């Protein structure tokens, strides 16, 4: 026995074969939401939508107070099912939640936004936004689900 592992005299050599060698896993994200803006009251937070595999398809953005996840089959939407989500997907306040549904352009891009109200009581609230690519014939009618963008109202 060696007093420290650094002076050990034995080692294990892997058996040659498929499991030997460096492994690399590459993961791509085909549906992205990228937010921009300060989150300051009275400004607009831009929500840039990217879904290149689905140009010309319809999208639906949603915003909630929490990050979910909400199961949609074996996939996950990073939004809570709450009153804010219901409000945003119902398009009841289009002056605040702009372009929350629409059609992706020929490159699979879309743009939505949140006009942050000037109401002081909103300061400190965290809003979580994500979007779905809606496609008839896809599982549950959903081709893609974006990750979640979060910002804090300032």
């Amino acid at each position: 026995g060696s007093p420290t592992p650094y002076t050990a005299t034995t080692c294990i050599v892997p058996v040659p074969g498929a499991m030997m060698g460096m492994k690399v896993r590459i993961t791509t994200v085909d549906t992205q939401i990228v937010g921009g803006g300060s989150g300051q009251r009275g400004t607009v937070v831009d929500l840039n939508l990217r879904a290149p595999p689905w140009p010309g398809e319809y999208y639906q953005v949603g915003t909630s107070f929490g990050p979910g996840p909400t199961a949609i089959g074996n996939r996950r939407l990073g939004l809570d099912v709450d009153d804010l989500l219901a409000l945003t997907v119902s398009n009841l306040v289009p002056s605040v939640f702009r372009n929350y549904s629409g059609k992706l352009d020929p490159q699979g891009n879309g743009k939505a936004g949140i006009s942050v109200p000037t109401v002081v009581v909103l300061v400190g609230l965290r809003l979580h936004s994500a979007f779905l690519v809606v496609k008839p014939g896809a599982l549950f009618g959903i081709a893609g689900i974006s990750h979640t963008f979060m910002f804090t109202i300032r």
Side-chain angles (χ1 to χ4, degrees):
S2 173
T4 70
Y6 303 108
T7 60
T9 58
T10 60
C11 69
I12 298 172
V13 178
V15 176
M19 297 304 292
M20 189 172 175
M22 181 172 21
K23 305 291 183 240
V24 177
R25 179 180 180 158
I26 298 173
T27 303
T28 61
V29 177
D30 53 18
T31 310
Q32 302 173 3
I33 186 168
V34 178
S38 67
Q40 185 74 33
R41 290 176 300 119
T43 66
V44 174
V45 172
D46 294 318
L47 301 174
N48 298 298
L49 318 176
R50 289 191 32 86
W54 300 289
E57 297 294 342
Y58 288 95
Y59 68 83
Q60 177 65 61
V61 180
T63 296
S64 71
F65 291 117
T70 297
I72 301 175
N74 64 350
R75 297 181 286 178
R76 301 282 181 261
L77 173 65
L79 298 176
D80 283 354
V81 177
D82 59 19
D83 290 342
L84 182 58
L85 182 62
L87 180 82
T88 60
V89 300
S90 298
N91 196 33
L92 294 175
V93 192
S95 60
V96 175
F97 301 102
R98 302 177 179 183
N99 301 316
Y100 262 48
S101 61
K103 202 170 188 180
L104 297 170
D105 70 16
Q107 289 74 43
N109 297 319
K111 187 168 181 133
I114 301 172
S115 295
V116 183
T118 57
V119 180
V120 175
V121 72
L122 298 177
V123 172
L125 280 179
R126 289 184 178 173
L127 299 184
H128 303 261
S129 300
F131 79 100
L132 307 174
V133 178
V134 180
K135 184 173 180 170
L139 186 61
F140 298 105
I142 299 169
I145 300 175
S146 76
H147 64 284
T148 305
F149 166 73
M150 187 279 296
F151 76 96
T152 303
I153 297 176
R154 301 182 15 207

